[in-house]
């Protein structure tokens, strides 16, 4: 029987807690996380509730692109994620900076952050009209094949303005990826 050496050494977990936020499109973010078992046990013991019974949330913060994550966010949105380990956030806006916290809510309903993500900026949407420029002059300025591409494309949950998007290509060297 064929046995791959990768199956024997691939860890079931990363053995530490982390959260990572990535931009898929100007309108969609992807966040994934893992809370180490030791941290889960510590939190469950502190609240005297099993980890599986604690309400789990991801809190998304949106900032104006010129500000930093230390400024007050322009928007904040809580999403209950239950036992998931990743989430697509489909309410992002172009040209905004985002960050995310993974956490729980206590008995009083207060959000208790456990992990803070990196910040990520959404790009300008190619469907957003430029300021103070009539649409007729924009149509004339676009090459003909670009006009056809824009006319035939529709925005949907699976549409991405990026021709080739892969979550595997966006890791930094800090996560262990080799360049």
């Amino acid at each position: 029987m064929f046995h791959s050496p990768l199956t024997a050494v691939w860890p079931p977990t990363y053995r530490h807690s982390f959260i990572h936020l990535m931009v898929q499109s100007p309108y969609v973010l992807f966040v994934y996380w893992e809370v180490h078992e030791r941290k889960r046990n510590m939190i469950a013991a502190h609240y005297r509730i099993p980890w599986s019974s604690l309400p789990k949330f991801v809190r998304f913060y949106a900032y104006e692109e010129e500000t930093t994550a230390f400024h007050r966010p322009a928007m904040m949105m809580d999403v209950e994620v239950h036992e998931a380990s990743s989430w697509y956030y489909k309410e992002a806006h172009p040209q905004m900076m985002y960050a995310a916290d993974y956490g729980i809510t206590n008995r009083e309903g207060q959000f208790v952050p456990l992990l803070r993500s990196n910040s990520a900026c959404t790009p300008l949407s190619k469907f957003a009209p430029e300021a103070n420029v009539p649409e007729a002059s924009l149509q004339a300025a676009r090459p003909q094949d670009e006009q056809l591409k824009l006319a035939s494309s529709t925005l949907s949950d699976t549409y991405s303005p990026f021709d080739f998007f892969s979550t595997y290509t966006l890791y930094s060297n800090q996560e262990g990826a080799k360049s």
Side-chain angles (χ1 to χ4, degrees):
M1 180 174 173
F2 178 76
H3 180 71
S4 171
L6 288 178
T7 57
V9 296
W10 191 263
T13 64
Y14 289 97
R15 297 190 182 120
H16 65 278
S17 298
F18 67 88
I19 184 171
H20 191 74
L21 178 69
M22 298 185 296
V23 174
Q24 183 186 22
S25 76
Y27 304 99
V28 179
L29 303 172
F30 178 71
V31 62
Y32 64 98
W33 61 88
E34 182 175 305
V35 180
H36 189 270
E37 183 180 4
R38 185 174 180 185
K39 189 174 222 175
R40 291 191 312 254
N41 292 339
M42 181 180 67
I43 293 163
H46 175 77
Y47 288 104
R48 296 184 180 110
I49 301 173
W51 174 258
S52 60
S53 299
L54 288 166
K56 295 156 192 79
F57 288 85
V58 173
R59 177 171 281 180
F60 291 93
Y61 302 95
Y63 303 90
E64 297 297 329
E65 199 171 22
E66 296 82 32
T67 64
T68 67
F70 299 109
H71 289 86
R72 184 180 173 140
M75 290 185 293
M76 186 172 64
M77 171 68 116
D78 288 345
V79 178
E80 188 167 9
V81 295
H82 305 285
E83 297 300 317
S85 60
S86 63
W87 199 264
Y88 283 95
Y89 180 67
K90 298 178 181 178
E91 298 176 25
H93 299 282
Q95 286 190 293
M96 296 286 286
M97 183 174 71
Y98 286 88
D101 284 346
Y102 176 81
I104 61 166
T105 55
N106 61 18
R107 287 186 179 105
E108 291 78 34
Q110 298 168 320
F111 180 73
V112 179
L114 304 175
L115 304 171
R116 168 57 65 102
S117 77
N118 56 301
S119 61
C121 294
T122 54
L124 174 67
S125 171
K126 67 180 178 181
F127 295 105
E130 285 81 0
N132 300 327
V133 179
E135 182 61 28
S137 56
L138 286 176
Q139 289 290 340
R142 290 186 186 124
Q144 188 65 25
D145 57 339
E146 182 69 23
Q147 290 179 28
L148 291 173
K149 186 176 179 182
L150 286 174
S152 65
S153 64
T154 60
L155 286 175
S156 70
D157 289 344
T158 58
Y159 175 75
S160 174
F162 306 104
D163 292 332
F164 300 102
F165 172 78
S166 170
T167 56
Y168 299 107
T169 61
L170 298 177
Y171 296 120
S172 69
N173 288 337
Q174 294 174 343
E175 282 92 34
K178 303 285 189 242
S179 50

